[in-house]
Amino acid sequence: MNSRILVAVSSPWASEKLTEPIADLARRLQAEAVVAHVAQIQDDDEHESDAAERGDQTLKLLTQGLREAGVAAEGVMLFSDDIAKAILNTAKARSCTLIVLGLTGKGRLKRLIAGDVPANIIRQADLPVLLCPANWNGLI
């Protein structure tokens, strides 16, 4: 296999939604998948262990789904305050040829306040980036 796809997912919902299209794409490209999740604390009452547990569930859903579909897949848990940088560094370190992002459906205002990770990745990436909108269904 010459191709390696980095799939960055933020939630178990995104993992379930992307399993079939990513498996189809990886098979057609004869690629393996690196599934990445950047664990972050989401509110003041949450602990690091809660973020890690949510991340483990997110990674497990997609990596297992891809493996069951016949795609070589590994999960990578990342910890960083800079999500875009963590994803880009991982893609480079793992020699990925494509980054796939599952968008969350956050509105423009929320992205403006929280930081627009997809836009930051696109601006800084030196490899193709594929965005899968939250309301999209189908194959790639």
Side-chain angles (χ1 to χ4, degrees):
M1 290 189 189
N2 296 332
S3 296
R4 184 172 292 140
I5 302 168
L6 184 130
V7 184
V9 287
S10 60
S11 69
W13 174 83
S15 289
E16 289 178 339
K17 185 173 177 65
L18 288 176
T19 299
E20 186 179 347
I22 295 301
D24 178 65
L25 178 65
R27 284 191 299 262
R28 287 188 287 122
L29 294 176
Q30 297 181 340
E32 56 188 39
V34 176
V35 180
H37 174 80
V38 182
Q40 284 195 316
I41 296 173
Q42 292 188 346
D43 57 49
D44 293 338
D45 294 336
E46 189 174 53
H47 292 84
E48 220 174 274
S49 61
D50 297 325
E53 185 177 321
R54 188 176 53 255
D56 284 338
Q57 180 185 14
T58 299
L59 290 173
K60 187 177 180 180
L61 277 169
L62 187 50
T63 55
Q64 282 184 339
L66 291 172
R67 288 175 187 152
E68 289 169 4
V71 174
E74 68 170 310
V76 179
M77 178 76 75
L78 307 170
F79 295 89
S80 177
D81 291 332
D82 189 337
I83 296 171
K85 187 174 182 177
I87 290 168
L88 291 166
N89 287 343
T90 302
K92 185 175 183 176
R94 302 288 175 126
S95 301
C96 293
T97 54
L98 173 68
I99 297 173
V100 178
L101 302 174
L103 299 179
T104 62
K106 287 182 182 175
R108 286 187 183 145
L109 180 60
K110 284 186 179 181
R111 282 197 308 266
L112 181 63
I113 293 168
D116 194 344
V117 173
N120 289 335
I121 290 173
I122 290 167
R123 274 194 296 275
Q124 298 173 44
D126 58 358
L127 68 156
V129 178
L130 175 64
L131 303 177
C132 299
N135 60 352
W136 172 79
N137 288 306
L139 298 177
I140 299 166

